[in-house]
Amino acid sequence: MEITTIIGYTCALLIGIILGIIGGGGSILAVPVLAYLFHIDEKMATAYSLFIVGFSALVGGLKKHFNGYVDWKTAIIFGIPSIIGVSIVRKYIIPALPEILFSTGQFDFTRRMGMFGLFALLMFFAAISMLKDKKNRTKENKNQKKYNYPLIFTEGLIVGILTGFIGAGGGFLIIPALVLLANIEIKTAIGTSLIIIALKSLIGFFIGDAFTMNIDWNFLLIFTTISFIGILIGSYFSNFINGKKLKKGFGYFIFVMAIFIFYMEFAIKR
């Protein structure tokens, strides 16, 4: 087994541990790990990430459900357009994208640059979201807004489309939307977000990728199983580790990773 493969599976374990401790965010590492350590192309890496993210979110979401922190009505209203968005992108748009999106002079802007560039850009926003202090958000928004169905549906569709392109869950976009538009408190927003991410990621993967790509199920299930073991380890250590401090530290790490992806895709001439 090559050293990069060993490091890759170690990162799979780390993804699960982070998810287990802070309840989210770790799966955003799936795409860079798959792309740079396992040398999987952009279409397959984002497809595999959907499965990994979806499974991880499902585990976390069911745990939140049993603790009473999932609003299923909101999950369905937000989740349906998200599923539609991610499924359309994975089944029709991604396969139709040409290898070179456009050229200027001697510079070719490739499909890989577009997908990974968008992914890195959203990683910046995810990092900022992790670094923000959200403790007062519930109090501030508790009585501000009614249940805004049209905006929830629209946001769900937008998040689904973005998920289809980048293969990440988009919890940092979903949680604020649920607090502001559905007027639910932060703990329930987190649990509901995990269910939404699980539904749109897994259904999007099976509708858009599982039957149109040559999936290496052996590799994908090994990677996902290792991540699941990491979730169990992280859940245990979450009783002893300060999750808030770790979340901030991980936020800085995600910021650095976003810069790394920009450098790899745009600074290094392929």
Side-chain angles (χ1 to χ4, degrees):
M1 189 179 287
E2 294 181 5
I3 186 68
T4 54
T5 303
I6 295 170
I7 295 171
Y9 284 129
T10 304
C11 287
L13 186 69
L14 181 64
I15 287 169
I17 291 172
I18 292 168
L19 282 166
I21 294 175
I22 67 177
S27 55
I28 203 168
L29 290 178
V31 169
V33 167
L34 293 167
Y36 300 119
L37 293 177
F38 291 101
H39 308 293
I40 297 172
D41 71 42
E42 67 279 6
K43 290 169 72 174
M44 196 68 79
T46 50
Y48 284 4
S49 178
L50 283 177
F51 183 86
I52 296 160
V53 167
F55 180 81
S56 302
L58 182 62
V59 173
L62 290 175
K63 185 179 176 182
K64 293 288 184 183
H65 164 71
F66 291 122
N67 291 330
Y69 291 125
V70 174
D71 182 336
W72 283 97
K73 175 185 175 183
T74 304
I76 292 169
I77 293 170
F78 197 109
I80 289 173
S82 291
I83 291 167
I84 293 169
V86 69
S87 299
I88 289 172
V89 169
R90 297 307 304 184
K91 189 170 181 64
Y92 299 107
I93 298 178
I94 296 295
L97 289 176
E99 182 68 29
I100 298 174
L101 297 179
F102 64 86
S103 299
T104 349
Q106 294 186 346
F107 175 75
D108 293 330
F109 189 87
T110 64
R111 179 183 60 217
R112 180 185 174 101
M113 286 179 174
M115 292 176 70
F116 283 180
L118 177 61
F119 182 83
L121 182 63
L122 291 178
M123 283 181 80
F124 279 119
F125 289 107
I128 291 168
S129 176
M130 289 178 187
L131 295 172
K132 278 183 179 177
D133 186 0
K134 300 177 183 176
K135 62 183 178 182
N136 295 320
R137 181 174 286 169
T138 304
K139 291 181 181 178
E140 290 172 0
N141 295 292
K142 193 170 183 180
N143 298 310
Q144 279 184 3
K145 292 183 181 289
K146 294 181 179 180
Y147 206 98
N148 195 323
Y149 291 100
L151 278 177
I152 291 171
F153 188 92
T154 303
E155 175 110 12
L157 184 63
I158 292 169
V159 170
I161 290 169
L162 288 174
T163 297
F165 279 110
I166 67 174
F172 66 97
L173 293 172
I174 298 172
I175 292 169
L178 296 181
V179 173
L180 290 167
L181 304 179
N183 198 26
I184 57 180
E185 58 97 19
I186 191 68
K187 286 185 179 179
T188 304
I190 292 170
T192 306
S193 171
L194 288 171
I195 293 297
I196 292 167
I197 290 168
L199 290 174
K200 68 186 175 67
S201 299
L202 290 174
I203 294 174
F205 169 79
F206 282 106
I207 290 177
D209 297 308
F211 302 109
T212 59
M213 291 186 179
N214 187 20
I215 304 294
D216 185 346
W217 285 104
N218 185 51
F219 165 77
L220 184 55
L221 292 176
I222 290 173
F223 192 102
T224 306
T225 301
I226 293 172
S227 293
F228 177 68
I229 293 169
I231 291 172
L232 297 179
I233 295 170
S235 296
Y236 172 76
F237 282 108
S238 66
N239 299 313
F240 313 104
I241 295 173
N242 188 320
K244 288 184 178 178
K245 288 184 178 178
L246 180 65
K247 189 174 183 178
K248 284 203 169 185
F250 186 60
Y252 287 114
F253 177 70
I254 290 295
F255 190 82
V256 171
M257 281 298 299
I259 294 172
F260 171 76
I261 292 173
F262 271 122
Y263 174 76
M264 290 296 290
E265 298 304 323
F266 294 95
I268 295 179
K269 192 170 183 179
R270 293 180 178 276

